[in-house]
Amino acid sequence: MLIGLCGGICSGKHAIAEYLIQHQGFQLLELKSRKFPRIADEPEDDRRLQASEFTDKERSQSPQLLFESAESLLDFATKSWQGLWVTTDIWESVTLDRFLQRPFFLLVSVDAPVSLRWQRFEERCRRRQLEAPPLEKFVLWNDRHLYDKNIGRVYLTDRAQVRLFNSSSSLEELHSALAGLNLADEERLRPNWDQYFMQLASLAAQRSNCMKRRVGCVLVRERRVISTGYNGTPRHLRNCNEAGCPRCNRGEGGGVGLSTCLCLHAEENALLEAGRERIREGTILYCDTCPCLTCTVKIAQVGISEVVYSQGYNMDQDSAAILESAGVRLRQFSPPRNGLIYLEGSANNKQ
């Protein structure tokens, strides 16, 4: 596994890298020559401070390997993909494209409030006996660093699979949050079967035009998709968002006026698409929302063996009781947290 860390100035990238090295057995991969793209009119002191957030002491304590180029670093990680590696030396989108092609690579971006990052930057200046810039100058430099048209780092951070917001008040607090997060979880790299089929269900939900709620469903047997479905009005009727279902367009509360609803549910559409003859023992229904009572009785009738859902609904307990009586397993799926994740904490930090 190779974790690439990117982010704004003093966001905490290197503090996170140090945690992975010291507490989770990672090794640091670095480039010998740190010739990252230069921002126009960037002062030399600022450039030297940006070049590395690792102190000499931290470097001496961190197992590291040095490489002449990003290509040689990636080649090494590819041949040693079963190891645990971390790098902060990814600056260009072209380089990132090559890294993202590898199944062992995870891009993690790190951000923090700009006022907090300025305080961390001031502390770094003091440690290196350099004059700290005023906040206004730091903000302008930070904007160029992130949003420069040609070399801004936001092109990298926007592609991160995991996005950390680091406002931790101490390294101990940061380490505690990272321990609970477990960035080294390999399921972040390649979805397991539950993740894979649930993502397909969520993708199907994006086709829904129901004015009340988007829901997607996938039927699976022996790890093969039998059918998919999403909620909406029946074929040849106007779409729900085009006033095809008066009940949904009236905005009535959940469970109200169900007998007048014209929309087929995602589970119903998937079951109808599959047909009874294709649903045999061992078929699993993945749905991004727990089935309602109406769908639950149909699921039990056609012989589904297991229902996996991600989000709750206002009839969960009733649906669960029916499925249990029918001998259908029901479980809620909780994947590793990706996307934007807040690392708890606030106030000053010396990272």
Side-chain angles (χ1 to χ4, degrees):
M1 182 181 202
L2 170 61
I3 292 180
L5 293 164
C6 63
I9 306 162
C10 286
S11 58
K13 303 181 294 294
H14 294 79
I16 292 174
E18 279 299 311
Y19 169 82
L20 293 173
I21 292 165
Q22 300 297 330
H23 297 277
Q24 294 197 350
F26 280 73
Q27 286 184 271
L28 179 66
L29 305 183
E30 285 194 290
L31 298 181
K32 291 182 180 179
S33 177
R34 307 177 63 83
K35 295 180 180 179
F36 48 84
R38 181 164 185 168
I39 298 170
D41 302 323
E42 182 177 282
E44 186 61 32
D45 280 352
D46 292 348
R47 184 168 168 77
R48 285 197 292 123
L49 282 164
Q50 182 189 356
S52 177
E53 296 178 23
F54 284 114
T55 65
D56 293 337
K57 180 180 178 182
E58 287 169 337
R59 287 177 180 277
S60 66
Q61 294 174 346
S62 303
Q64 59 184 306
L65 293 165
L66 300 177
F67 300 89
E68 296 291 344
S69 65
E71 290 74 17
S72 59
L73 186 155
L74 181 58
D75 288 343
F76 170 83
T78 301
K79 295 173 183 177
S80 310
W81 65 272
Q82 291 180 311
L84 296 175
W85 315 104
V86 61
T87 185
T88 59
D89 288 351
I90 300 176
W91 302 307
E92 298 175 322
S93 58
V94 174
T95 300
L96 177 61
D97 287 340
R98 292 198 60 199
F99 277 65
L100 286 172
Q101 290 173 352
R102 305 303 164 94
F104 54 81
F105 178 70
L106 179 72
L107 182 64
V108 178
S109 70
V110 190
D111 199 2
V114 66
S115 58
L116 180 56
R117 292 194 284 114
W118 175 57
Q119 293 169 18
R120 295 172 183 169
F121 191 76
E122 280 191 310
E123 174 60 25
R124 193 197 303 176
C125 289
R126 284 193 290 269
R127 290 200 305 264
R128 301 185 185 187
Q129 298 181 341
L130 294 169
E131 183 178 355
L135 176 58
E136 181 179 2
K137 178 182 176 182
F138 178 83
V139 169
L140 292 174
W141 180 36
N142 174 74
D143 285 347
R144 293 199 303 272
H145 178 266
L146 289 177
Y147 304 112
D148 182 276
K149 181 179 179 181
N150 298 314
I151 59 174
R153 303 294 173 81
V154 74
Y155 291 107
L156 308 182
T157 59
D158 279 357
R159 300 179 68 184
Q161 295 106 310
V162 180
R163 305 175 67 181
L164 304 180
F165 190 74
N166 173 28
S167 59
S168 300
S169 59
S170 68
L171 285 175
E172 291 75 16
E173 188 177 63
L174 174 65
H175 291 179
S176 177
L178 290 171
L181 182 60
N182 188 18
L183 284 174
D185 188 343
E186 292 189 356
E187 290 187 1
R188 299 183 189 280
L189 297 174
R190 185 187 187 210
N192 62 27
W193 289 111
D194 276 352
Q195 286 177 276
Y196 176 66
F197 293 125
M198 195 62 74
Q199 286 174 12
L200 291 180
S202 296
L203 179 61
Q206 297 306 303
R207 284 289 303 165
S208 171
N209 55 63
C210 181
M211 294 297 292
K212 293 289 291 182
R213 179 196 297 260
R214 282 179 165 180
V215 181
C217 178
V218 175
L219 290 183
V220 176
R221 188 179 69 248
E222 297 177 353
R223 296 178 178 173
R224 296 292 184 269
V225 174
I226 301 174
S227 65
T228 64
Y230 55 87
N231 57 327
T233 49
R235 188 177 302 174
H236 304 310
L237 271 67
R238 281 188 298 174
N239 289 330
C240 183
N241 63 346
E242 297 170 340
C245 177
R247 181 258 176 185
C248 288
N249 282 268
R250 285 195 298 268
E252 296 178 348
V256 177
L258 292 178
S259 62
T260 64
C261 183
L262 300 182
C263 285
L264 288 166
H265 289 193
E267 300 93 326
E268 292 176 310
N269 271 322
L271 294 173
L272 288 169
E273 177 67 24
R276 180 66 181 88
E277 68 280 1
R278 297 175 63 194
I279 300 174
R280 306 170 193 162
E281 184 177 354
T283 298
I284 302 174
L285 183 148
Y286 287 89
C287 193
D288 59 2
T289 305
C290 188
C292 69
L293 284 178
T294 302
C295 290
T296 297
V297 296
K298 295 174 182 176
I299 289 169
Q301 173 66 14
V302 298
I304 297 292
S305 297
E306 183 176 18
V307 173
V308 184
Y309 71 98
S310 58
Q311 303 176 44
Y313 190 52
N314 58 7
M315 301 177 185
D316 286 9
Q317 291 184 348
D318 295 334
S319 296
I322 291 173
L323 293 174
E324 182 179 7
S325 298
V328 181
R329 293 185 297 275
L330 174 69
R331 59 186 172 90
Q332 187 169 13
F333 171 63
S334 299
R337 287 187 298 160
N338 282 350
L340 180 61
I341 301 172
Y342 283 78
L343 301 176
E344 296 298 330
S346 57
N348 297 347
N349 195 346
K350 297 181 181 181
Q351 295 178 29

